[in-house]
Amino acid sequence: MKRKKGQLFLVGIGPGHEDIMTPAALDAIKQSDLVIGYKTYIKLVKNLLEGKEVISADMTEEIDRARKAIELAKQGQSVTLISSGDVGVYGMSGLVFEILKETGWKNGDAPDIHLVPGITAMNACASLVGAPLTHDYCCISLSDLLTPWEVIEKRINAAAMADFVIGLYNPKSKHRTEQITKVQKIISEYRTPHTPVALVKNAYRKKEHIVITDLAHFLEEEVGMLTTVIIGNSHTFIFENYMVTPRGYTNKYQWDGQIIKGQTRARSLVVDEVTS
Ligand code: SAH
């Protein structure tokens, strides 16, 4: 009998709650024989795992986990490797491709690879605090486990200088507590102390906790492994406890919809008086 070709699904399960998981992610998990993931993520989807083989792994075993997923899929199983949020955002999909490259895999070889996007922490957390990402933003992970601190610091400087809204992933852990203080100092060189900052912990999970504060004060609040920090740009404001970054409409329009003199609809902004 011809053995069926193995399938490897790389699936982002979103921030935690099943409602914020895409139907495609649910489907991939349902279709698979085997689900592999970090144990916290396995717990988040345990309702979907009945009758499936499950490999739940420790955080530090990423290479093993990825190799195992590839190997088992190659043998003919449908394997799903899950990450929280999006599987390609500080997740496992890059590593899987690095291993495939290293082992000489070619397109068409077993296993087939399917990528299923998920809602990343940055987007999930933004939805809980308003509209902080309506202008250019970037994400920076403060984890220096695999990236030299100098590189991270350089990126923080560049992002702060360029007035990006900045999302910080992995802001702090048990052994890594100083980085966030350094980051606050660097960003304060470019932005005012009143710059809005949102701290969202456990978004869409049981212990969800949200604080809206500012650049001068956010270090007084609890920040941990499961917090995403969103730092506004120079135009971000707080309105009724929502954090809002304007898109720039008032550079061109009045609130009655009329165009401001000197500007033209659907044409580049004339920059004389423009502030953003
Ligand atoms: N692949 C994930 C990110 C993994 S890095 C994604 O796309 O979301 C882990 C970091 O993500 C955490 O340190 C935290 O900063 C952030 N994070 C993940 N889940 C979160 C949640 N439910 N609430 C807030 N932040 C979260």
Side-chain angles (χ1 to χ4, degrees):
M1 196 177 83
K2 192 167 173 264
R3 205 166 58 183
K4 72 174 180 175
K5 188 171 176 193
Q7 308 291 316
L8 178 57
F9 292 87
L10 304 172
V11 175
I13 61 167
H17 198 283
E18 210 177 297
D19 287 354
I20 325 273
M21 207 180 290
T22 66
L26 289 167
D27 216 49
I29 295 173
K30 279 183 198 149
Q31 275 184 40
S32 50
D33 311 308
L34 170 68
V35 177
I36 306 185
Y38 171 51
K39 48 188 185 230
T40 310
Y41 309 153
I42 291 288
K43 262 191 222 149
L44 289 172
V45 295
K46 66 173 187 301
N47 296 341
L48 307 169
L49 299 179
E50 218 185 316
K52 298 186 188 303
E53 196 182 335
V54 174
I55 300 180
S56 122
D58 274 330
M59 197 47 140
T60 49
E61 298 163 353
E62 278 108 347
I63 294 181
D64 271 3
R65 215 186 307 161
R67 291 198 90 95
K68 198 172 273 170
I70 295 167
E71 193 45 46
L72 293 170
K74 214 171 168 175
Q75 289 166 16
Q77 298 203 64
S78 262
V79 176
T80 291
L81 187 61
I82 58 171
S83 271
S84 78
D86 185 275
V87 63
V89 178
Y90 310 117
M92 298 281 289
S93 55
L95 175 59
V96 166
F97 282 110
E98 285 181 85
I99 293 171
L100 288 171
K101 181 168 181 252
E102 185 59 33
T103 53
W105 178 91
K106 296 271 176 291
N107 234 317
D109 289 354
D112 287 333
I113 308 290
H114 309 270
L115 290 136
V116 180
I119 294 174
T120 187
M122 187 68 167
N123 297 134
C125 294
S127 75
L128 292 170
V129 298
L133 310 183
T134 313
H135 217 294
D136 300 325
Y137 68 92
C138 67
C139 298
I140 299 174
S141 166
L142 298 195
S143 172
D144 59 2
L145 297 180
L146 303 172
T147 307
W149 174 249
E150 293 67 39
V151 172
I152 299 170
E153 211 171 63
K154 195 161 104 185
R155 288 178 185 163
I156 294 283
N157 261 293
M161 186 176 59
D163 207 25
F164 281 98
V165 173
I166 302 172
L168 302 175
Y169 283 64
N170 301 301
K172 204 170 177 179
S173 75
K174 235 189 280 164
H175 306 291
R176 212 166 35 74
T177 55
E178 278 311 301
Q179 282 86 346
I180 188 76
T181 311
K182 292 184 188 162
V183 165
Q184 194 257 5
K185 267 208 192 99
I186 296 170
I187 299 179
S188 299
E189 288 168 23
Y190 301 92
R191 296 191 197 170
T192 71
H194 310 297
T195 305
V197 172
L199 308 172
V200 183
K201 188 176 175 192
N202 275 311
Y204 296 97
R205 295 186 194 172
K206 271 201 200 105
K207 293 180 184 159
E208 182 178 284
H209 186 64
I210 301 164
V211 176
I212 295 190
T213 173
D214 63 28
L215 189 57
H217 296 98
F218 82 93
L219 291 178
E220 295 163 18
E221 306 290 334
E222 192 200 327
V223 173
M225 274 276 270
L226 271 163
T227 307
T228 295
V229 180
I230 305 179
I231 300 173
N233 71 14
S234 59
H235 297 280
T236 304
F237 61 89
I238 302 291
F239 157 68
E240 292 293 317
N241 217 28
Y242 285 112
M243 180 175 176
V244 180
T245 303
R247 177 73 180 86
Y249 287 100
T250 53
N251 293 331
K252 198 168 227 181
Y253 299 99
Q254 297 168 180
W255 287 124
D256 62 4
Q258 292 297 309
I259 196 131
I260 291 172
K261 203 162 159 262
Q263 300 292 347
T264 311
R265 258 176 231 280
R267 290 285 179 278
S268 302
L269 199 62
V270 178
V271 286
D272 281 359
E273 304 286 320
V274 167
T275 56
S276 69

